[in-house]
């Protein structure tokens, strides 16, 4: 708007604004679509992400409402002359936007009717002069208003800024003010014209967006911290070996070993999954995987204790059935008992004999000649769940090239050991079928590490809710 033209002297647009009407129609159609999506996306009021999305929808609606109002003003022209505030059209689309002009020569002020409503003042009372205007502004915002007005009147700078006002009813509103000096024929400032817009709802929406964004960031940071506290100690407690485990059997390695820990796909794990391999004094090898229920440091401490006991008893010569029986008594002896599951195998390279037992855990899978099968053995109750439980063991003779795979229940979505029930059994069966179907790829693999990599690729991104471990042992001689 040219600085020498007052608001009440702007030419009005002709009815049926052509392109402006088309823009208004598009804005209203978009507003309707956004509102429909917002109503459908109710979400969970306690979820930071859902609050964030609703706040963004509300903000978008406020912005579209403002766009609608400004386009309507562009189409219809300015409101009636400020000198006649009561003549403002009823039902005008131009809500929350008012105008004013302050005459510096006569010290008179003229406001539009909407500005009286924004400031909550009686139209029958004379409008505030520039000197009186600061009396309705919050104390901390008065210097900002004074600086804007001074720059406009003295240096002829446009006004563009925000301040907060206090209405007579005590309500605090945020007002955005845009104005210009009106110059006389000699180039001096004769008056100041301004448009004042109530942006309170917009600022509330923006504040809600900031708060929900910050809440979401805090929620994510807390979840990441919890996951790190759960996973890092777990990974630190897992055996550090990689590749061949060379055993004292005629100077040749007996097994090619590899293992991997797969973190949860959905957040903090609800347990501790472990794997282990240990060379025994008699030339054999201990292989095992398992899971201990619980969260955080308690689960990590319990699992570390269980692994230590398992290794100690195996080094002392305990057989798999004895290991299961003694490990079953261990959780009950702690201050915070926890259930668990495990499978333990002992491999004797001299006879290529595998002896194993399990407690509420998936059975080992054996691959030979391009096919795989699940090993048969007596079932055993999960650790720490049945007082005085007894465990049996089974034997299997292996051949060079055979591949043994141990894994925990966490590979299957919604199936965390040692949970019982139809869903858990179905999940365990589906996981076993999936793993057995990988037999051709295992046969073509160069080593145990490549087999483990195949399992990781197959079970990454499958919606697993728990951590999982997989251990592969291939007989090399």
């Amino acid at each position: 708007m040219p600085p020498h033209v007052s608001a009440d002297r702007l030419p009005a647009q002709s009815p049926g604004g052509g392109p402006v009407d088309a823009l208004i129609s598009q804005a209203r159609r978009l507003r309707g679509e956004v509102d429909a999506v917002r109503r459908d996306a109710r979400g969970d009021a306690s979820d930071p992400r859902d609050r964030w999305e609703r706040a963004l929808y509300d903000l978008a609606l406020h912005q579209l409402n403002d766009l609608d109002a400004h386009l309507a003003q562009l189409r219809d022209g300015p409101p009636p002359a400020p000198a006649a505030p009561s003549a403002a059209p009823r039902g005008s689309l131009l809500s929350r936007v008012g105008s004013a002009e302050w005459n510096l020569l006569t010290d008179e002020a003229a406001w539009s009717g909407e500005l009286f409503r924004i400031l909550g003042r009686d139209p029958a009372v004379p409008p505030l002069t520039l000197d009186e205007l600061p009396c309705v502004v919050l104390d901390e915002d008065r210097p900002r208003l004074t600086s804007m007005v001074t720059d406009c009147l003295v240096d002829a700078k446009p006004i563009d800024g925000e301040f907060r006002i206090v209405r007579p009813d005590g309500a605090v509103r945020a007002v955005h003010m845009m104005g210009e000096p009106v110059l006389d024929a000699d180039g001096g400032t004769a008056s100041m014209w301004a448009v004042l817009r109530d942006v309170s709802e917009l600022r509330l929406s923006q504040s809600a967006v900031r708060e929900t964004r910050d809440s979401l960031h805090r929620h994510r940071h807390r979840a990441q911290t919890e996951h790190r506290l759960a996973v890092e100690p777990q990974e630190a407690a897992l055996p550090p070996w990689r590749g061949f485990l060379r055993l004292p059997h005629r100077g040749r390695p007996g097994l090619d070993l590899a293992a991997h820990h797969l973190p949860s796909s959905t957040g903090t794990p609800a347990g501790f999954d472990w794997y282990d391999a240990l060379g025994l004094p008699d030339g054999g090898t201990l292989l095992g995987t398992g899971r201990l229920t619980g969260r955080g440091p308690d689960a990590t401490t319990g699992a570390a204790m269980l692994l230590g006991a398992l290794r100690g008893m195996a080094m002392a010569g305990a057989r798999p059935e004895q290991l299961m029986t003694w490990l079953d008594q261990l959780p009950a002896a702690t201050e915070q008992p926890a259930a668990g599951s495990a499978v333990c195998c002992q491999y004797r390279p001299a006879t290529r004999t595998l002896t194993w037992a399990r407690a509420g855990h998936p059975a080992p899978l054996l691959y030979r000649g391009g096919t795989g099968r699940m090993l048969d053995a007596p079932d055993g109750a999960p650790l720490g769940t049945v007082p005085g439980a007894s465990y049996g063991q089974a034997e299997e003779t292996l051949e060079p090239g055979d591949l043994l795979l141990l894994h925990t229940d966490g590979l299957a979505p919604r199936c965390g050991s040692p949970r019982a029930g139809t869903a858990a059994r179905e999940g365990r069966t589906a996981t076993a079928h999936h793993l057995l179907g990988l037999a051709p790829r295992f046969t073509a693999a160069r080593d145990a590490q490549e087999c483990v990599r195949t399992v990781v690729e197959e079970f990454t991104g499958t919606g697993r809710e728990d951590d999982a471990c997989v251990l592969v042992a291939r007989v090399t001689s």
Side-chain angles (χ1 to χ4, degrees):
M1 181 177 63
H4 63 280
V5 179
S6 180
D8 59 346
R9 292 190 288 275
L10 280 173
Q13 297 284 338
S14 60
V20 177
D21 281 333
L23 289 174
I24 291 175
S25 297
Q26 293 177 18
R28 292 178 182 176
R29 183 169 58 254
L30 179 59
R31 181 179 60 189
E33 293 173 355
V34 171
D35 190 41
V37 174
R38 180 181 66 87
R39 289 197 303 270
D40 291 338
R42 293 184 176 88
D44 181 1
S46 63
D47 189 322
R49 180 179 292 277
D50 287 342
R51 294 199 302 270
W52 161 260
E53 290 179 354
R54 288 196 302 275
L56 282 179
Y57 282 131
D58 291 340
L59 179 58
L61 285 174
H62 281 308
Q63 297 280 24
L64 289 170
N65 285 334
D66 289 334
L67 177 61
D68 188 350
H70 294 319
L71 288 172
Q73 182 185 27
L74 182 62
R75 179 194 62 189
D76 300 335
S86 60
R90 299 186 61 175
S92 171
L93 292 174
L94 190 60
S95 60
R96 305 195 311 277
V97 179
S99 62
E101 184 172 359
W102 287 275
N103 190 308
L104 302 182
L105 303 179
T106 62
D107 201 27
E108 293 177 345
W111 289 4
S112 69
E114 189 60 40
L115 183 55
F116 279 94
R117 286 187 284 273
I118 290 174
L119 301 184
R121 300 186 66 83
D122 184 357
V125 177
L128 299 175
T129 65
L130 274 180
D131 291 334
E132 296 170 333
L133 185 61
C135 74
V136 300
V137 178
L138 283 181
D139 292 344
E140 53 265 41
D141 291 355
R142 287 177 185 172
R144 184 182 309 132
L145 173 63
T146 300
S147 176
M148 290 190 301
V149 172
T150 301
D151 288 344
C152 179
L153 299 181
V154 175
D155 299 325
K157 293 182 179 179
I159 289 178
D160 188 354
E162 251 179 62
F163 52 87
R164 290 163 296 171
I165 59 97
V166 182
R167 293 161 56 104
D169 59 5
V172 177
R173 307 294 293 178
V175 175
H176 181 213
M177 184 176 183
M178 298 183 66
E180 299 176 337
V182 179
L183 307 181
D184 57 21
D186 298 327
T189 303
S191 62
M192 190 185 84
W193 179 87
V195 171
L196 292 92
R197 175 181 172 221
D198 186 343
V199 293
S200 304
E201 284 77 13
L202 178 61
R203 296 297 171 254
L204 287 174
S205 295
Q206 291 173 330
S207 177
V209 169
R210 286 193 300 270
E211 290 175 2
T212 53
R213 178 193 60 205
D214 294 342
S215 176
L216 183 59
H217 286 170
R218 290 192 298 269
H219 179 77
R220 287 175 175 169
H221 178 72
R222 182 168 61 251
Q224 291 169 352
T225 300
E226 291 175 353
H227 185 72
R228 187 172 64 252
L229 290 175
V231 170
E232 288 182 354
Q234 180 168 349
E235 293 180 339
L238 293 174
W241 52 264
R242 293 292 185 273
F244 279 107
L245 177 62
R246 297 186 179 276
L247 304 176
H249 173 59
R250 300 178 184 175
R252 296 179 300 169
L255 295 174
D256 173 20
L257 296 172
H260 190 77
H261 167 244
L262 290 79
S264 165
S265 302
T266 58
T268 303
F272 186 105
D273 288 58
W274 57 268
Y275 61 81
D276 199 9
L278 178 67
L280 301 176
D282 62 0
T285 306
L286 172 72
L287 304 173
T289 59
R291 176 178 176 82
L292 195 68
T293 60
R295 292 182 182 271
D298 289 340
T300 304
T301 302
M305 179 179 64
L306 185 145
L307 277 171
L310 174 66
R311 286 186 160 210
M313 292 184 291
M315 291 291 287
R319 303 279 286 171
E321 59 182 351
Q322 294 174 311
L323 290 175
M324 292 295 99
T325 300
W326 291 339
L327 288 179
D328 177 63
Q329 301 170 6
L330 189 61
T334 63
E335 293 183 0
Q336 294 182 330
S341 70
V343 60
C344 291
C345 307
Q346 287 182 352
Y347 176 66
R348 308 292 175 182
T351 60
R352 298 196 189 95
T353 301
L354 182 77
T355 306
W356 67 282
R358 63 171 172 168
H361 200 78
L365 304 180
L366 177 62
Y367 299 83
R368 178 182 296 168
T371 62
R373 63 181 175 90
M374 183 184 300
L375 295 184
D376 296 324
D379 288 332
L383 301 176
T385 61
V386 179
S390 60
Y391 298 87
Q393 66 181 25
E395 283 192 359
E396 187 80 24
T397 300
L398 303 184
E399 300 176 2
D402 281 357
L403 186 141
L404 187 72
L405 187 149
L406 310 181
H407 68 93
T408 61
D409 263 325
L411 282 179
R414 300 179 299 279
C415 181
S417 174
R419 297 202 299 262
T422 302
R425 288 192 295 270
E426 290 177 351
R428 180 175 289 184
T429 300
T431 300
H433 286 320
H434 192 165
L435 290 169
L436 291 174
L438 300 178
R441 297 176 63 182
F442 290 162
T443 301
R446 294 169 297 179
D447 52 25
Q449 187 63 46
E450 188 171 331
C451 295
V452 168
R453 187 178 301 112
T454 298
V455 175
V456 172
E457 291 173 354
E458 287 291 317
F459 288 89
T460 297
T462 57
R464 291 178 296 99
E465 298 175 358
D466 297 309
D467 283 11
C469 289
V470 58
L471 183 151
V472 169
R474 190 174 65 175
V475 180
T476 59
S477 61

